[in-house]
Amino acid sequence: MTVTSDPTVPAASAATGAASDDALRMGPAVLRSRLIHGTGKFPSDDVLRDCLAAAQPDMITLAIRRLSLEGGGRNELEGLDLSRFTLLPNTAGATTAQQAIRMAHLARAASLSELIKVEVVGDERTLLPDPAGTLEATRVLVEEGFTVLAYTSDDVVLALRLEEAGAAAVMPGAAPIGTTLGIQNPFNVRLIIDRLQVPVVIDAGLGVPSEAARCMEWGAAAVLVNTAIARARNPVEMARAFGEAVVAGRRAFLAGRADISFEAVASSPTAGLPTSSS
Amino acid sequence: MTVTSDPTVPAASAATGAASDDALRMGPAVLRSRLIHGTGKFPSDDVLRDCLAAAQPDMITLAIRRLSLEGGGRNELEGLDLSRFTLLPNTAGATTAQQAIRMAHLARAASLSELIKVEVVGDERTLLPDPAGTLEATRVLVEEGFTVLAYTSDDVVLALRLEEAGAAAVMPGAAPIGTTLGIQNPFNVRLIIDRLQVPVVIDAGLGVPSEAARCMEWGAAAVLVNTAIARARNPVEMARAFGEAVVAGRRAFLAGRADISFEAVASSPTAGLPTSSS
Amino acid sequence: MTVTSDPTVPAASAATGAASDDALRMGPAVLRSRLIHGTGKFPSDDVLRDCLAAAQPDMITLAIRRLSLEGGGRNELEGLDLSRFTLLPNTAGATTAQQAIRMAHLARAASLSELIKVEVVGDERTLLPDPAGTLEATRVLVEEGFTVLAYTSDDVVLALRLEEAGAAAVMPGAAPIGTTLGIQNPFNVRLIIDRLQVPVVIDAGLGVPSEAARCMEWGAAAVLVNTAIARARNPVEMARAFGEAVVAGRRAFLAGRADISFEAVASSPTAGLPTSSS
Amino acid sequence: MTVTSDPTVPAASAATGAASDDALRMGPAVLRSRLIHGTGKFPSDDVLRDCLAAAQPDMITLAIRRLSLEGGGRNELEGLDLSRFTLLPNTAGATTAQQAIRMAHLARAASLSELIKVEVVGDERTLLPDPAGTLEATRVLVEEGFTVLAYTSDDVVLALRLEEAGAAAVMPGAAPIGTTLGIQNPFNVRLIIDRLQVPVVIDAGLGVPSEAARCMEWGAAAVLVNTAIARARNPVEMARAFGEAVVAGRRAFLAGRADISFEAVASSPTAGLPTSSS
Amino acid sequence: MSIAITVNGERRDVEEGITVAALLASLDIRASRVVVEHNMRILRAGDFGDARIEDGDELEVLQFVGGG
Amino acid sequence: MSIAITVNGERRDVEEGITVAALLASLDIRASRVVVEHNMRILRAGDFGDARIEDGDELEVLQFVGGG
Amino acid sequence: MSIAITVNGERRDVEEGITVAALLASLDIRASRVVVEHNMRILRAGDFGDARIEDGDELEVLQFVGGG
Amino acid sequence: MSIAITVNGERRDVEEGITVAALLASLDIRASRVVVEHNMRILRAGDFGDARIEDGDELEVLQFVGGG
């Protein structure tokens, strides 16, 4: 087997560590790291900052909220140099398309960019997304010129509709937000990855780095991780581990896995054993 | 992300909280990399050599076989500087304890070390290990002073017996050798990891780096990978990916995963939303 | 434990086979059998008729199609006495709400009943349902007085929306139609069952009777099976097996499963062994 | 559905296509019902008796223990007419081959039969079987003329060795005894069923009837259930459900499942739709 | 004189003034088993005898078939 | 005179020369339902009447109980 | 004279004729870090100095916070 | 005169009195890379020069190869 001639393997990836030209493009964003890093629920500003240093993401998510009028509005992002990251504000908290659109407008004013993660919750208990609201918000915001990354369920047709509506990326959840339960529906997630042309980013519910790697091995464009890092016992090391796992999974996808065999095949030669009866 | 510097890591983790000396000790062997790398079935000597350079394992497995009398016995290990690795010869091909013991003796003469991977196949079709033969070979070889790493099934009690027999490590298979089917019995594998005091190395049947990471996250001491690398479309990049994934999985284990919640928990603040009706 | 006083167990079910008052009500339909039987793709009229005799469903599904103008329009339902069953016509073939509504009207004219299974396909390759179309057709038809059973994906929020729209039952698919792949997303299916007040009927993709039983054990109200019976090697026996499995699964749900223990617990007494050393 | 007549079936299947004599033979035992029913841990004699009436097994398991010298040795089997069942005494409590052999001798004296379930526990915490002890006890007892049903792990080679040793049936556990966790290793269980000539009976750890059906669909000869019935909220109805599920699963195995398709296939005709634009 | 109509998507020439009932009879179709849509309007079975077909009309004659 | 024996792991004093059958009767145990191991040797039920118990003997009196 | 306005859902009394920029300054908020919505209309930062607040106005003063 | 021996399972005729070292040299095999089992007894590399091969002897000449 002549490895480098294999058409499924980009030439660039053979020579170097992470493929030097394996950047992920979504609208204006160009990401070398395929780990999108959340910034919520961290135990402290310091921990968040150290996690970002360890995981080295290019893109981070943010929420937009009322500033506390007492105390000048200090918050956990205070210590961060946001200019080092591509900012992906979300519309978390919205339960209707209209609310999401309003939050997108506010986020645009704050970030001076038109990247937005559309998130319209349809059920307060599971925080699972509202199909109709997500689709409507995506349509309107795309129309307005936003680069929309749409958080969605693992519904395959809805993912297709979001792509048709102009989403720059579709973000099916692995499991409900904050649960860290891991991938609940491998079949649908893989189907979505296979059917869509736009990047598929796995969002919500991942628990451990191996699951992030697994998504990447299937061909996901990126993963978004927040709770699994923020709530780990050692968030900084966990952030680093997620960073490594995403690189490993992406690399494995590009390298092309061995074919599964349902029959056992020896790894050591079967011939050439010393005579047993001599 | 600077994974290329050294995927086998500890330097980075020293600063932050992972154990500063996270070496794996089995008898005389001290391994910084927890990826044990097989050397069988590679497309060429060059590919094998490049894979080892990419994955940077400390320990590699070998088989012992008759030299071909024509042609001076050239083989795929020709191009390797074996002295750079801790060698783990196996007894592959043995179907009885006696054969395995003889091969261990031959391997010792060749490697000048007493590290041996005991492998006694009990079924030619599945290549699954023979419980009694594995246990007997382990007992005899431990008695003779070998450091035995025992390839076994996922049978929990057999794993306990191998530990009692003095095995330096127990190596349950994830799936039959060469299948790359991945972990077939998470429950037993985790039970073995939890119950044994000696290192548990997951051997055989892994297919992709995410599965290696998953084993490490559960607390496996190391993984042994051969077919999944040798038969990948791009073995060199796959070797590198396995190296990275093992580091990531180990790091995640040490970092401590977030607790699973069966209820969804928002990642963005639920308070502080702009008034919706204003 | 006094079994009969257990409030979770209907008194009726203790004495008899299937609980005598455990009927499933959906609009005007009252079903004693919780296996809804499809009628498509059977090898012959005779086989279909024998399957129905073996499985003894109360409700069967039908499609509405153009009659072939040559030959008087004979079809596979010819040999059946449809009056023995509660008929559930579907809107299969519809790809828009409008088409589904039209087919519902035609079906009503043919069945003289207002039971309808709404099915709006959103993707020709996977035949997975269209969220928006399904919801719209459901709203309109409920408004018009239909008893709507809505075929849907395993999207939890969409299921909630269909309930809110007045669906008499919500029918999440286990896997794409005709695949017999079985339940791909146990988590979502169970979440839907738990969250909805209306009956949840598992539709599409079931492969074997054990999966039907599993759905019933989770609390599904019924299952709809077509391909797994029609394409079995022996459809008649498979129909009977599905009938039995649905009864078993429902009964197990009502009986209440044993609590899972993560520790082993002996089934035989641990005391009273004969002295081992005597 | 007339399941109440006789859930253990053959009468019905004779007419239609399932084997007309589908009895299971193990040594002298001829079983029409493929549910082997445990008798331990039931809430009362009455409940056990009613469970047996509901499930209608042909074979039940028993343990042999010291009689309490006070009170004349009344026990939970008091109310049962044991002569109606094929008795399968176990060697539960044994941790060595020698103990198991002694208990087999005692059981033979009590049952006046040479049927024995060999159970040699190798680990007190998980109650998982001891490979060597199980194999040795099986060899000795087969030699002595016993019909041995050997409880074992899901180790494939050990199952082959037990068959070679003359076991009349091999009984791999689904999960540790008493856990009701269900089948933990489908791959190995199916491999054992495929590789062995003797009947394979799934023993231990099943939780719900659907899992029993699933084992039967794979071709298991029978299942042994105890805790899942004894500890159900309503044991009698659960016993009945297990009886039905085993019948359903066996019937499905004989009927032959539909081939899995990875592409969706419509259940309703794709042609003959009314013109959409007319 | 004959008129041109469309039945189940196919062009057909029929007698002017024919009723739906007569059309079905001529096609050997038992009226009891079918649903008829006449220019997108569903006919009740009782109206088949009165429903006159005009030139250019579109009819759908449908029935239940096996489906899932 | 009485002798000391062990029954089911417990020390008991019984009459010298007692048979297994008599011991069971004294304990109100129906012979038909039990298995007796006398000094590790299993007795046939028919032999209970002849089996004399000596000082220091060990007996196991066993029966079937519920098990899985 | 003072007017009553609503800032982030809370009633506040401020000087008549105050600008947004002045309001932020009085609250010790750096204008560079916030987004202001004035009566549901988003203000550009450059307009804070010109935007005069009237009686009954509603303001939302928002910023980025950690989120997922 | 020549003698018949078995090397790696194959019959070979070699010079009477030949040593293992000489046999390996004649086969162009570097002694440093192999393990030799002479009549089921493993030879140390240092003994290759002294080990004389007799008629009917069995030799296994082995080396490490790729394996898993």
Side-chain angles (χ1 to χ4, degrees), chain C residues 1 9 13 17 55 65-66 102 177 180 210 217 233-234 237 240 244 251 255-257 261 265 269 272 275, chain D residues 1 4 16 65-66 90 102 177 179-180 210 217 233-234 237 244 251 255-257 261 265 268-269 271-272 275:
Chain C
M1 191 168 105
V9 181
S13 70
R65 289 291 179 275
R66 281 173 175 172
R102 181 185 178 197
I177 295 172
T180 70
S210 60
E217 287 164 354
R233 304 230 179 142
N234 182 335
E237 281 300 293
R240 197 187 313 277
E244 291 162 344
R251 195 187 303 283
R257 66 159 291 156
S261 159
V265 185
T275 322
Chain D
M1 188 171 303
T4 49
T16 48
R65 288 291 180 276
R66 281 173 174 170
N90 67 32
R102 181 186 177 197
I177 294 172
T179 58
T180 70
S210 61
E217 287 165 353
R233 304 229 180 144
N234 182 332
E237 279 301 291
E244 291 162 344
R251 195 187 304 283
R257 67 160 289 156
S261 160
V265 185
S268 304
T275 320

Side-chain angles (χ1 to χ4, degrees), chain B residues 161-203:
Chain B
R161 295 291 173 270
L162 289 166
E163 179 178 61
E164 291 161 16
V170 173
M171 306 177 81
I177 294 172
T179 57
T180 70
L181 278 163
I183 307 150
Q184 293 301 310
N185 191 347
F187 183 82
N188 275 14
V189 167
R190 298 186 75 167
L191 212 44
I192 290 172
I193 292 172
D194 287 350
R195 295 300 306 281
L196 267 61
Q197 305 295 316
V198 298
V200 173
V201 178
I202 308 305
D203 182 10

Side-chain angles (χ1 to χ4, degrees), chain C residues 1 3 6 8-9 13-14 16-17 40-41 55-56 63 65-66 90 92-93 99 102-103 125-127 176-181 207-210 213-214 217 226-227 231-234 237-238 240-241 243-245 247-248 251-252 255-269 271-276 278, chain D residues 1 3-4 9 13 16-18 40-41 47 63 65-66 90 92-93 99 102-103 106 125-127 176-181 207-210 213-214 217 226-228 231-235 237-238 240-241 244-245 247-248 251-252 255-269 271-276 278:
Chain C
M1 191 168 105
V3 178
D6 189 317
T8 69
V9 181
S13 70
T16 65
K41 300 195 289 189
Q56 298 197 33
R65 289 291 179 275
R66 281 173 175 172
N90 65 34
Q99 288 169 6
R102 181 185 178 197
M103 292 177 78
R125 211 171 101 200
T126 59
L127 300 179
I177 295 172
T179 58
T180 70
L181 277 164
V208 280
S210 60
R214 200 175 170 214
E217 287 164 354
N226 190 332
T227 306
R231 295 300 199 214
R233 304 230 179 142
N234 182 335
E237 281 300 293
M238 191 57 88
R240 197 187 313 277
E244 291 162 344
V247 169
R251 195 187 303 283
R257 66 159 291 156
D259 290 336
I260 284 179
S261 159
F262 287 96
E263 294 295 317
V265 185
S267 292
S268 304
L273 290 164
T275 322
S276 61
S278 66
Chain D
M1 188 171 303
V3 273
T4 49
V9 118
S13 68
T16 48
K41 300 194 289 189
V47 170
R65 288 291 180 276
R66 281 173 174 170
N90 67 32
Q99 289 169 5
R102 181 186 177 197
M103 293 178 78
L106 292 165
R125 212 171 101 200
T126 59
L127 299 180
I177 294 172
T179 58
T180 70
L181 277 165
V208 278
S210 61
R214 198 175 171 214
E217 287 165 353
N226 190 334
T227 305
R231 295 300 198 214
R233 304 229 180 144
N234 182 332
E237 279 301 291
M238 191 56 89
R240 197 187 315 274
E244 291 162 344
V247 168
R251 195 187 304 283
R257 67 160 289 156
D259 291 335
I260 284 177
S261 160
F262 287 97
E263 294 295 318
V265 185
S267 292
S268 304
L273 291 164
T275 320
S276 61
S278 67

Side-chain angles (χ1 to χ4, degrees), chain C residues 22-26 28-36 57-60 85-86 115 149 201 221-222:
Chain C
D22 186 36
L24 170 60
R25 285 168 177 79
M26 296 180 290
V30 181
L31 309 182
R32 285 171 316 112
S33 166
R34 287 164 180 274
L35 173 63
I36 304 177
D58 288 325
M59 177 180 268
I60 63 175
F85 301 98
T86 301
L115 273 168
L149 286 72
V201 178

